[in-house]
Amino acid sequence: MKGLPLGMDHGSNAVAPLVREPANFQHRTNCDPHADNVGLRAHGPLFRIVGEASAQLGRDYVWQAFGYDVVRKVLGDHENFTTRPRFTHGDSGAHVETQFVGQISTYDPPEHTRLRRMLTPEFTVRRIRAMEPAIQRLIEDRLEMMEAAGPPADLQGLFADPVGAGVLCELLDIPRDDRGEFVRRIRRNVDLGRGLKARAADSAAFNRYLSGLIARQRAEPDEGFLGGLVREHGDNVTDDELKGLCTALVLGGVETVAGMIGFGVLALLGQPDQIPLLFEGPEKADRLVNELVRYLSPVQGPNPRLALKDVVIDGQLIKAGDYVLCSVLMANRDPALTPNPDVVDANRGSVSDVGFGHGIHYCVGAALARAMLRRAYQTLWERFPGLRLAVPVEEVKYRNAFVDCPDRVPVTW
């Protein structure tokens, strides 16, 4: 595949290649970027791409950022770029701005700043430490069930998925009797293999449940996440905003943590020399978790960035109205970020990766996610020190969803 040089663009300093989107664009092979994506690196850290992605956004092309420096620049620039979605309106072709109420990943300042300040106190170190005993119980309970089911057993279905969902249910104080159906609706809603009508029905049921949950918290706020927001902010936060905040946390957390656990196990089984670092003290364990987040980057592409004005990045003129897609996975595997980026090495120097994003939209739950992952990996290998895959790694299947996640990870011990 060759880029098609289009010449200079209105004073830009370099040729902007136009590239046809490859068949496996934004896919991966096990833990690694797909070879099609690796091949795109030849076009530089920033290039224009044509295909399904540009069609979905109603553009003749979109910019694709692969380089670490470019991705960090775009994600960190909320003055020149917005995440607020625009949709093409009917036959007119006009682009209409919309808003997913409460979902702060689609907000700009000052509205974003107001909601972010509400959320931040709910993810303090003190709050996370208070949750850790419940997280540990959940992890141990799921490992007992996995042990009873096998070997062999599906680590993804019996451990990774329930832990990712269970911790978010603990955070939102979802009653235990409701959790199975609550999580089922979430997973069905993000399954891109299902039709829009079926996914819309699950989304509607999920929203009805959240409405009831918020009404109960308004009447009798508890000590959980929602209760805290209601007690602290009262009428200054609307029910729709609370619903949007919950939706963003659930959709952004459940599959992401589940994917990180499943992929993390695959990565560590592929590089077993790293496993002992989980037990060499908190600092080394945390560094390994951070390294796995960099290496795996299950959220390959955050929300598209729309240029609000003309801006030059890496010598390329991005025009107002152009979309930029940022590949977190490719940025975190950029040799400009760290030497030998395609291996897991918790002993490498400190790396400022973009696995949890960058700028004002940096993941608010990053510290909670790290704590969950550290405990999940440590407890798993404490219980099953001889853990290994029960099938060749090439036979592991993956989901068709917004977040990269294994579908089944058969293991034995």
Side-chain angles (χ1 to χ4, degrees):
M1 180 179 62
K2 296 181 178 179
L4 304 177
L6 299 183
M8 304 297 283
D9 269 337
H10 301 285
S12 68
N13 299 314
V15 173
L18 182 63
V19 180
R20 178 65 57 182
E21 183 178 308
N24 293 292
F25 182 56
Q26 294 185 336
H27 289 193
R28 68 167 77 215
T29 303
N30 300 317
C31 296
D32 296 318
H34 192 279
D36 281 357
N37 272 351
V38 175
L40 288 175
R41 277 181 171 158
H43 301 289
L46 181 66
F47 51 91
R48 295 189 293 184
I49 198 161
V50 178
E52 184 178 351
S54 56
Q56 287 178 348
L57 292 170
R59 297 293 195 270
D60 293 333
Y61 64 86
V62 293
W63 290 91
Q64 178 64 61
F66 268 14
Y68 168 77
D69 291 334
V70 172
V71 167
R72 188 175 169 89
K73 171 67 176 175
V74 173
L75 295 183
D77 187 355
H78 66 271
E79 295 183 354
N80 289 313
F81 295 96
T82 180
T83 58
R84 190 184 292 264
R86 270 78 166 172
F87 292 101
T88 302
H89 180 66
D91 296 331
S92 68
H95 295 287
V96 180
E97 182 177 290
T98 190
Q99 183 69 71
F100 298 118
V101 178
Q103 296 193 33
I104 60 173
S105 64
T106 66
Y107 274 57
D108 297 325
E111 296 91 343
H112 175 274
T113 307
R114 179 179 70 89
L115 289 179
R116 181 89 180 195
R117 285 175 178 165
M118 290 182 184
L119 281 179
T120 300
E122 302 302 319
F123 292 94
T124 60
V125 172
R126 180 184 61 81
R127 183 67 182 271
I128 292 168
R129 284 178 178 166
M131 288 185 64
E132 284 191 341
I135 294 173
Q136 187 65 33
R137 286 194 299 272
L138 172 64
I139 289 170
E140 291 173 353
D141 288 347
R142 297 311 308 187
L143 288 177
E144 284 184 10
M145 296 180 70
M146 192 174 90
E147 186 170 22
D154 174 21
L155 179 136
Q156 191 67 40
L158 292 171
F159 181 58
D161 288 347
V163 168
V167 173
L168 268 295
C169 287
E170 287 283 344
L171 178 68
L172 297 178
D173 204 21
I174 306 297
R176 291 191 178 276
D177 291 345
D178 295 352
R179 291 183 181 185
E181 180 64 15
F182 183 78
V183 173
R184 188 179 74 86
R185 293 287 185 183
I186 296 168
R187 297 202 185 285
R188 287 167 63 86
N189 189 33
V190 299
D191 182 357
L192 298 180
R194 303 175 67 243
L196 286 175
K197 187 174 181 180
R199 287 171 52 206
D202 283 302
S203 180
F206 175 73
N207 280 307
R208 286 195 298 271
Y209 182 86
L210 283 181
S211 295
L213 181 67
I214 291 166
R216 293 194 296 274
Q217 291 293 334
R218 289 282 193 193
E220 295 183 50
D222 59 23
E223 297 301 315
F225 170 79
L226 274 174
L229 289 175
V230 168
R231 285 196 314 275
E232 182 69 24
H233 302 286
D235 293 337
N236 290 326
V237 58
T238 69
D239 287 358
D240 283 342
E241 286 175 334
L242 288 173
K243 190 186 302 182
L245 290 171
C246 290
T247 300
L249 288 173
V250 169
L251 295 182
V254 170
E255 287 291 281
T256 304
V257 171
M260 269 301 305
I261 294 175
F263 274 124
V265 168
L266 292 175
L268 290 172
L269 289 177
Q271 293 183 225
D273 62 301
Q274 297 291 302
I275 296 172
L277 302 181
L278 289 168
F279 307 103
E280 291 188 6
E283 181 180 350
K284 191 58 69 71
D286 288 342
R287 288 183 66 175
L288 179 55
V289 169
N290 290 340
E291 173 69 352
L292 286 169
V293 171
R294 178 202 67 80
Y295 176 77
L296 296 167
S297 306
V299 183
Q300 283 200 53
N303 289 359
R305 266 50 179 180
L306 179 69
L308 297 172
K309 59 186 79 169
D310 290 0
V311 57
V312 176
I313 294 181
D314 196 50
Q316 305 285 4
L317 176 67
I318 298 173
K319 303 174 188 175
D322 281 358
Y323 275 105
V324 183
L325 306 182
C326 293
S327 175
V328 168
L329 176 60
M330 296 304 293
N332 282 341
R333 297 291 191 96
D334 187 347
L337 169 62
T338 185
N340 204 15
D342 293 321
V343 300
V344 177
D345 181 8
N347 291 312
R348 71 173 74 243
S350 179
V351 175
S352 298
D353 65 82
V354 288
F356 284 111
H358 180 62
I360 65 170
H361 293 295
Y362 183 83
C363 177
V364 70
L368 176 60
R370 289 190 183 100
M372 294 164 60
L373 293 169
R374 174 173 48 80
R375 285 183 171 270
Y377 297 140
Q378 287 175 332
T379 311
L380 174 66
W381 262 282
E382 285 174 344
R383 186 138 189 168
F384 304 114
L387 190 76
R388 63 187 185 277
L389 278 177
V391 298
V393 68
E394 294 78 15
E395 294 181 15
V396 175
K397 305 299 182 185
Y398 304 93
R399 292 175 186 159
N400 181 18
F402 293 105
V403 176
D404 292 343
C405 185
D407 192 43
R408 295 184 72 254
V409 180
V411 294
T412 189
W413 52 89

